[in-house]
Amino acid sequence: VVSDSSEMDAEAVAINERGIAAAMAAARNGATRQAGLWWACFETMYRGGGEDVIRCSLGFDGGGNATLGEPTDHPVRVGQICNQEISSAYQGYGSQINHAFFIGTRSTPGYEYYRTAVELLAKVIERAIAFIQPGKTTYGDFVANNEKTFKEFGEKGSGLNTHGGGLGYLSRPRQSAEDNLVVMQPGHTFDFKPAVTLDRVKIKDVGEKNRPVQVGESILVTEKGAVRLGTRALVSIATHD
C-alpha cells in the first residue's frame, strides 16, 4: 500500500511514462494511424493501476493537445514529431508529463532540429528545478526565471507551461497574476511542461515552418529543494535504429 503523497504522485508519473513508452513502441512496430499510438498509450495507462486516465492526447508536428485527447485517423509518417499531454491519477493524486519523440531514425531529415529542441528543454527543466527555494520562491519567480533561461539561450518558450497537480489533480496554481503570488512549499507537486519552436534564423526544420517540441515533467518541492518525479532520461528519442 502506498501511503506517502509524493509516492502516489510518483506512481501516477510512472504510469504516464509507461503510456508514452507504449506509444513509441506502437510507432516502432508499424502503426499507421495516430489511433494505433493512442490506444497503445491509453490501454497501458488504463491497465497500469491508476484509477483515472485524465488526458491521453497525441499530436503530430503540432501541440500535444491538438487532438483533444481523442484517437484519430491521422497518418503516421516518417519524420514526424509526436508531442503529447499525458496525465493520470493514482489514489487521488494526479500528474502530467510530456516527452516529444521523433518517428524515424537519427539520420531522418528533421531529427537534428528535434534533437536540438529536446536538449534545450532538458536544460530549461534542469535549471528550473535548481532555481526553486522552498518557502521563498513564488510561482511568479519560477515563471520569470524560466523566461530568463529561454532568453539566455536565445529562444522564446511557450506561454502557459506551469500548473498544479497532486491531490485532486487540480490545475491550480497556474500562471496568473493571482496564482503567481503563491509561495512554493515542501509537499507542493506541480507540472512543468515547457515547449519551444526554435528560431528559424538559427536552425531550420525540414518544412516551411519550424515545429513545436515539448518536454514536460512533474516536480515535487521538498525541504531541500525540488526533484523530478519521473525516472526516464530527458533525451531525444528516435523510434527506429
Side-chain angles (χ1 to χ4, degrees):
V1 177
V2 179
S3 58
D4 183 76
S5 61
S6 63
E7 293 182 21
M8 295 178 193
D9 283 313
E11 286 291 334
V13 172
I15 292 170
N16 297 340
E17 290 186 327
R18 291 195 291 271
I20 294 178
M24 293 179 192
R28 186 175 299 116
N29 292 331
T32 60
R33 301 290 172 179
Q34 182 264 15
L37 278 61
W38 190 93
W39 281 110
C41 181
F42 181 86
E43 182 177 7
T44 298
M45 294 168 67
Y46 182 78
R47 298 179 183 278
E51 76 269 10
D52 190 8
V53 177
I54 303 170
R55 174 64 68 91
C56 179
S57 188
L58 295 86
F60 299 136
D61 296 338
N65 62 353
T67 58
L68 300 177
E70 299 290 338
T72 73
D73 64 353
H74 296 164
V76 178
R77 296 190 176 98
V78 172
Q80 288 172 325
I81 296 172
C82 180
N83 288 300
Q84 327 85 27
E85 286 196 349
I86 303 300
S87 181
S88 65
Y90 185 88
Q91 295 186 18
Y93 289 78
S95 295
Q96 180 185 126
I97 65 169
N98 315 291
H99 197 132
F101 59 86
F102 186 82
I103 298 175
T105 70
R106 291 175 175 81
S107 61
T108 300
Y111 176 79
E112 279 304 304
Y113 170 84
Y114 156 79
R115 179 191 62 78
T116 302
V118 170
E119 290 183 356
L120 169 63
L121 294 172
K123 292 176 183 176
V124 169
I125 292 173
E126 180 181 356
R127 287 198 185 187
I129 292 174
F131 174 77
I132 295 172
Q133 298 183 56
K136 296 181 180 180
T137 304
T138 68
Y139 282 87
D141 296 331
F142 182 77
V143 171
N145 181 71
N146 297 331
E147 292 175 350
K148 178 182 177 182
T149 300
F150 272 112
K151 187 175 181 179
E152 288 179 5
F153 288 123
E155 299 290 347
K156 182 178 180 181
S158 59
L160 175 63
N161 59 32
T162 305
H163 60 70
L167 183 61
Y169 39 92
L170 300 175
S171 62
R172 307 301 290 267
R174 294 169 71 91
Q175 289 171 227
S176 68
E178 181 179 356
D179 289 355
N180 281 350
L181 298 177
V182 176
V183 178
M184 295 181 175
Q185 301 288 352
H188 279 200
T189 301
F190 67 96
D191 303 323
F192 178 47
K193 47 181 189 176
V196 68
T197 300
L198 297 177
D199 186 346
R200 196 166 175 84
V201 173
K202 299 177 180 178
I203 182 170
K204 289 186 178 181
D205 200 355
V206 290
E208 294 182 357
K209 296 181 179 180
N210 285 2
R211 293 171 287 180
V213 178
Q214 186 171 37
V215 177
E217 187 55 67
S218 191
I219 296 173
L220 171 68
V221 181
T222 73
E223 295 283 352
K224 297 181 179 180
V227 295
R228 286 180 54 208
L229 290 177
T231 59
R232 72 199 188 283
L234 298 183
V235 297
S236 56
I237 300 172
T239 57
H240 295 73
D241 295 330

